[in-house]
Amino acid sequence: MIVDEFDVFLFDLDGVIYIGNDPLPEAVKSLKFLRRNKKTIRFLTNNPCTTREKIAKRLKALGIEASSKEVITSSWVTAQYLQNENIKTVFVLGDENLKWECQQVGINIDDTINAEAVVIGWDDDLCFHDIKKSVQLINNGAKFIGTNTDRNFPSTEGPLPAVGAIVKAVQVAAEKIPVIIGKPYSYMFKKALENLKIFSRAVMVGDNSYTDILGAHQVGIPAILVSDKKTNRFPSARDFRNPDATIPNLKGLFDNNITIKKWISPCFSWTNDGVKAGVAGIIFDKSQRVLLMKRVDNGLWGIPSGHVEPGETVEEAIIREISEETGLKVKVNQLIGVYSDPVSQVFSYPSGKVSHFITTCFECEVVGGNLIKKGEETLDVDYFDFNYLPENILPMHPMWLKDALKKEKVSYIR
């Protein structure tokens, strides 16, 4: 039984424990069994329109044992984050619960002119003026914080818009990426697991692959999906959003016929920016030295590379990228390979974006231009002997060079 595999159970609320004012089938009984088996329980919700005390009271009214210390809400966690960052004044787009949590840790929510941060939750009375004010403050240097990015939430009327709709509106207008506190981001999970014994075996139980399952896997713990659908939604076996087990309701935790896979955290980051088309160009001089550039964004040496822009072929893209980065005009001689690796082809940027690239690599020949040693994207550009490449080189690039140097010119897909 799954229940025997773990000491700590983290539960989402809406769609797992209850919907609206009604408990879901088997939820009350299953939680009682867990208590009886001395399991540690935490309740996690991205709902910023409540407090820990209110959730505990709500659970007790449904016949579920719960204390406020076992409840982790996005409003409370956001306030904890603000306190930890020493932020004193905030402009809150949220209801009285989020504002109350901020005030409990000494944060001023009234001085909106000098606000150090904009915090976005949910309030049915939000208006365009609030969004406009938020964008102005963020553009003037205020930190941009969202309690969560949930697109919708379950209700008896069906899915309804959630906080993510407001976060996205401000993000588009301000052209800034927010710090997100709730699931699937790590801060909420780390708070939930705080002060628990290191050897405690923890598992997340939720109904949302994009928040509960993804979030648990990003912090390295297994995750169970509550769903009546038995098939996984995502084709790749390494997709962080695929659950380690699926149960129809919480009674499944005690079912001898349901097993859970062991989650082994991959050695690559999960992309939040999708899969992107990339290009790279290998240029040799007459001495068979290869042209490398030292990138501004990460300080590493690598083959000239970049993105495919809308309306471009991959050949047009690499010709443009090399010209922009090095000042050289090139022609494409041949395809070396098409490369996709979730470890070395995943890049994290200072903005917070994480992108996974599929890169088409070409061998190129210089036909004009003048070499620029330093530019907006480059710290240095130089030719290197293949046997004496710099140590701080991007991990995938030596393989591309080896493929380019093979006597028999074969195109690879890796």
Side-chain angles (χ1 to χ4, degrees), residues 233-245:
R233 184 181 301 176
F234 307 100
S236 171
R238 290 191 279 187
D239 195 308
F240 281 40
R241 297 166 295 181
N242 281 325
D244 303 302

Side-chain angles (χ1 to χ4, degrees), residues 144 235 357-358:
F144 181 13
F357 282 91
I358 296 176

Side-chain angles (χ1 to χ4, degrees), residues 19-208:
I19 286 184
N21 296 319
D22 300 315
L24 285 165
E26 305 297 337
V28 176
K29 187 184 298 185
S30 297
L31 288 166
K32 285 181 179 178
F33 284 154
L34 288 174
R35 296 284 189 190
R36 199 173 300 163
N37 282 277
K38 308 298 182 183
K39 303 297 183 181
T40 298
I41 293 173
R42 295 289 184 269
F43 302 102
L44 280 64
T45 177
N46 270 354
N47 182 4
C49 301
T50 188
T51 66
R52 306 171 85 191
E53 291 74 16
K54 288 180 180 179
I55 290 291
K57 184 177 180 180
R58 181 177 181 181
L59 290 169
K60 289 174 184 176
L62 297 176
I64 297 170
E65 180 185 343
S67 72
S68 60
K69 291 183 179 180
E70 294 175 318
V71 177
I72 313 293
T73 69
S74 65
S75 54
W76 177 77
V77 176
T78 299
Q80 297 298 303
Y81 173 84
L82 294 168
Q83 183 183 41
N84 188 61
E85 292 293 307
N86 200 32
I87 293 173
K88 302 296 186 183
T89 58
V90 299
F91 178 53
V92 179
L93 273 71
D95 72 355
E96 69 278 0
N97 296 288
L98 177 56
K99 293 176 180 177
W100 182 84
E101 291 286 15
C102 290
Q103 289 173 321
Q104 299 314 295
V105 294
I107 294 172
N108 183 350
I109 63 171
D110 297 317
D111 185 5
T112 59
I113 296 176
N114 301 308
E116 300 170 73
V118 171
V119 178
I120 298 180
W122 184 266
D123 186 346
D124 287 336
D125 295 326
L126 285 175
C127 63
F128 183 76
H129 174 78
D130 298 314
I131 295 175
K132 179 181 176 182
K133 179 69 174 178
S134 298
V135 172
Q136 290 172 331
L137 287 169
I138 292 167
N139 286 336
N140 288 333
K143 198 162 187 174
F144 181 13
I145 299 168
T147 56
N148 64 81
T149 53
D150 287 9
R151 304 171 186 177
N152 51 55
F153 68 92
S155 78
T156 53
E157 305 169 56
L160 296 177
V163 175
I166 306 301
V167 172
K168 197 67 176 179
V170 175
Q171 182 177 342
V172 168
E175 298 183 338
K176 299 286 176 62
I177 295 177
V179 174
I180 305 299
I181 306 299
K183 300 173 292 181
Y185 296 88
S186 63
Y187 200 80
M188 175 176 279
F189 288 92
K190 289 177 180 178
K191 274 293 180 183
L193 297 170
E194 199 173 57
N195 300 323
L196 296 178
K197 295 179 180 178
I198 295 176
F199 57 80
S200 293
R201 300 169 298 169
V203 64
M204 177 72 203
V205 184
D207 68 327
N208 190 316

Side-chain angles (χ1 to χ4, degrees), residues 333-380:
N333 284 340
Q334 68 169 10
L335 172 68
I336 301 299
V338 180
Y339 303 86
S340 174
D341 177 69
V343 178
S344 60
Q345 287 290 93
V346 171
F347 297 95
S348 299
Y349 297 95
S351 66
K353 282 187 177 181
V354 181
S355 298
H356 177 186
F357 282 91
I358 296 176
T359 302
T360 304
C361 184
F362 297 99
E363 181 180 328
C364 300
E365 179 184 344
V366 177
V367 295
N370 296 303
L371 185 64
I372 299 172
K373 300 283 285 185
K374 190 173 183 179
E376 290 184 7
E377 299 183 18
T378 56
L379 296 171
D380 195 7

Side-chain angles (χ1 to χ4, degrees), residues 219-240:
V219 294
I221 65 174
I224 299 168
L225 183 69
V226 177
S227 173
D228 54 8
K229 297 179 181 178
K230 295 183 180 180
T231 56
N232 289 344
R233 184 181 301 176
F234 307 100
S236 171
R238 290 191 279 187
D239 195 308
F240 281 40

